[in-house]
């Protein structure tokens, strides 16, 4: 069964603001689906349409087999939603919030307490469950949000940037809970993120958004494999002209499939990176170009994004180190 589908889904806020510009989705039940894209690429607008909070300008979408416009009411009963800017009542306790959520969804009185306790346990909030929300950290609030979205056992859960702004440890914790809830409750998760590591580690399938359009879609592995090459990153001493000259030199090398310049970094996609790296450095040296830094890695989702759009996904990914790890690639650690 398809949990979420969209055909040519469009949202224009004005003639010139094409927030979502014709996207197609077919997300099977039980998946963790990652919706990856930079700020302003249309992630929240998509979530708001799929969760019936916003009317599409065009196209159609179904959630749990129900039309989001014509059957909005029924859709809402099937889904759980944790929005980016959830307004929590500061004076409530975490447990009270979950109980309230249970009442809103008309769970039976006998069901609400154990359900809340179970979810508080999963998101590691049982110790703080009876403290007021105003005393919670950002990470605790996100975890509570996640539990609240799950309270009525929705089949499909939408999480809009559940880890943005969190420290790496809190982020890892959220990933663990999402995986656990996906496995134990069988719910489908639609999760938006700006973090490529999050999409890579968590998503079964993902779509990469840019300016309201899906620029790539597949499993993280398929997308990285689609690059079909290793990635050599070269940082050249000197100005933009030197960098451009270095890119031209790299283009002449055998086995090079693509060369991209972003800021002061040259990215070279090449068949056999291990063999090519020494020759790249040699050729640059012969051309009197100073190599400040060079690294070799397997493709990351950032390379996929760069290939498709000409830009890096995460601003800090432009400056990269060499860790040479298999899966980690060249992601800048936050
Ligand atoms: N209510 C609105 N009115 C006008 N423009 C909007 C509105 N909501 C979002 N936008 C614009 O639509 C684009 C996509 O926004 P959004 O879906 O929030 O992106 P993301 O969640 O990926 O950061 C942005 O250019 C944003 O400024
Ligand atoms: Mg958003």
């Amino acid at each position: 069964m398809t949990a979420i589908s969209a055909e040519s889904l469009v949202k224009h806020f004005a003639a010139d603001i094409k927030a979502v510009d014709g996207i197609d989705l077919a997300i099977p039940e039980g998946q963790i689906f990652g919706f990856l894209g930079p700020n302003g690429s249309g992630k929240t607008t998509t979530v708001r349409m799929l969760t019936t909070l916003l009317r599409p300008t065009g196209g159609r979408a179904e959630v749990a087999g129900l039309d989001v416009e014509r059957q909005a009411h029924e859709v809402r009963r099937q889904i759980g939603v944790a929005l980016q800017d959830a307004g929590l009542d500061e004076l409530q306790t975490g447990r009270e919030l979950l109980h309230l959520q249970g009442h809103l969804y008309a769970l039976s009185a006998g069901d609400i307490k154990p359900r809340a306790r179970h979810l508080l346990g999963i998101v590691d909030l049982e110790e703080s469950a009876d403290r007021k929300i105003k005393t919670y950290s950002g990470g605790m609030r996100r975890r509570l949000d996640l539990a609240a979205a799950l309270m009525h056992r929705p089949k499909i859960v939408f999480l809009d940037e559940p880890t943005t702004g969190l420290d790496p440890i809190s982020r890892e914790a959220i990933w663990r809970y999402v995986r656990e809830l996906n496995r134990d409750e069988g719910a489908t998760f639609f999760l938006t993120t700006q973090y490529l590591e999050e999409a890579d580690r968590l998503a079964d399938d993902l779509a990469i958004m840019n300016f309201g359009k899906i620029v790539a879609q597949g499993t993280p592995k398929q997308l990285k494999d689609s690059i079909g090459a290793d990635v050599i990153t070269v940082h050249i001493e000197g100005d933009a002209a030197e960098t451009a000259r270095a890119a031209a030199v790299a283009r002449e090398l055998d086995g090079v499939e693509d060369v991209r310049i972003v800021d002061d970094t040259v990215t070279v996609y090449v068949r056999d990176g291990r063999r090519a790296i020494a020759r790249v450095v040699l050729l640059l040296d012969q051309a009197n170009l100073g190599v400040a830094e060079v690294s070799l890695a397997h493709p990351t989702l950032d390379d996929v994004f760069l290939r498709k759009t000409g830009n890096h996904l995460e601003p800090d990914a432009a400056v990269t180190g060499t860790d040479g790890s298999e899966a980690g690639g060249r992601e800048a650690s936050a």
Side-chain angles (χ1 to χ4, degrees):
M1 250 280 279
T2 306
I4 301 166
S5 67
E7 277 170 41
S8 309
L9 191 63
V10 169
K11 182 70 196 184
H12 293 176
F13 284 108
D16 55 339
I17 306 178
K18 299 178 175 173
V20 175
D21 201 15
I23 62 168
D24 297 308
L25 295 168
I27 303 171
E29 254 177 24
Q31 266 203 349
I32 300 176
F33 186 83
F35 206 57
L36 174 68
N39 242 328
S41 58
K43 302 183 298 295
T44 297
T45 304
T46 302
V47 167
R48 292 180 68 209
M49 286 192 285
L50 294 175
T51 56
T52 78
L53 300 173
L54 191 66
R55 265 189 121 68
T57 312
R60 51 194 305 277
E62 284 188 358
V63 170
L66 302 160
D67 188 281
V68 295
E69 286 188 86
R70 285 182 291 105
Q71 297 167 289
H73 210 75
E74 290 91 321
V75 168
R76 270 178 234 161
R77 269 201 298 245
Q78 304 285 334
I79 63 176
V81 186
L83 290 178
Q84 211 169 344
D85 43 6
L88 298 172
D89 179 348
E90 300 284 303
L91 296 178
Q92 269 185 334
T93 69
R95 193 188 310 277
E96 283 166 353
L97 179 93
L98 295 194
H99 286 183
L100 177 68
Q101 188 80 359
H103 286 298
L104 286 177
Y105 280 94
L107 299 190
S108 74
D111 188 14
I112 288 176
K113 271 193 180 175
R115 178 70 178 157
R117 202 180 310 126
H118 171 70
L119 289 171
L120 287 164
I122 289 182
V123 300
D124 279 335
L125 283 177
E126 62 255 276
E127 307 255 297
S128 4
D130 299 309
R131 272 170 37 197
K132 289 194 171 33
I133 292 170
K134 68 176 181 191
T135 68
Y136 284 20
S137 69
M140 290 164 76
R141 285 161 192 254
R142 300 296 179 84
R143 278 142 58 191
L144 182 62
D145 248 4
L146 180 60
L150 268 294
M151 199 50 201
H152 59 294
R153 301 185 183 83
K155 283 197 210 156
I156 302 169
V157 183
F158 292 87
L159 306 176
D160 195 12
E161 299 201 24
T163 69
T164 295
L166 296 187
D167 60 89
I169 292 172
S170 305
R171 200 179 286 170
E172 291 261 9
I174 297 266
W175 298 348
R176 199 164 63 240
Y177 309 136
V178 168
R179 266 195 220 105
E180 210 169 309
L181 290 162
N182 169 256
R183 194 189 54 219
D184 295 352
E185 314 234 334
T188 306
F189 281 81
F190 185 100
L191 172 145
T192 78
T193 182
Q194 340 181 5
Y195 300 123
L196 48 93
E197 189 194 355
E198 179 160 300
D200 202 353
R201 299 259 308 266
L202 202 53
D204 297 310
D205 258 314
L206 68 102
I208 303 183
M209 285 286 279
N210 195 37
F211 292 117
K213 288 189 158 57
I214 293 174
V215 295
Q217 197 161 356
T219 68
K221 181 167 187 327
Q222 281 167 349
L223 290 171
K224 287 182 285 182
D225 287 352
S226 74
I227 297 287
D230 293 328
V231 184
I232 296 173
T233 308
V234 189
H235 197 103
I236 294 292
E237 286 166 1
D239 56 12
E242 297 284 277
T243 301
R245 207 152 67 74
V249 168
R251 259 185 210 106
E252 296 306 312
L253 206 73
D254 279 349
V256 167
E257 310 210 328
D258 197 7
V259 178
R260 297 275 179 155
I261 302 173
V262 178
D263 301 329
D264 49 4
T265 308
V266 181
T267 303
V268 184
Y269 297 95
V270 61
R271 275 278 157 217
D272 186 348
R274 212 177 283 253
R275 186 172 299 191
I277 190 163
R279 281 166 43 231
V280 168
V281 174
L282 186 68
L283 281 178
L284 292 174
D285 193 48
Q286 284 169 356
N288 275 326
L289 288 155
V291 176
E293 198 180 311
V294 61
S295 68
L296 166 66
H298 300 298
T300 65
L301 291 175
D302 189 46
D303 295 305
V304 177
F305 192 79
L306 178 60
R307 249 302 172 73
K308 298 282 181 184
T309 68
N311 289 302
H312 286 292
L313 183 58
E314 290 174 25
D316 7 345
V319 185
T320 53
T322 354
D323 72 9
S325 71
E326 192 66 23
R330 298 169 301 121
E331 288 157 20
S333 49

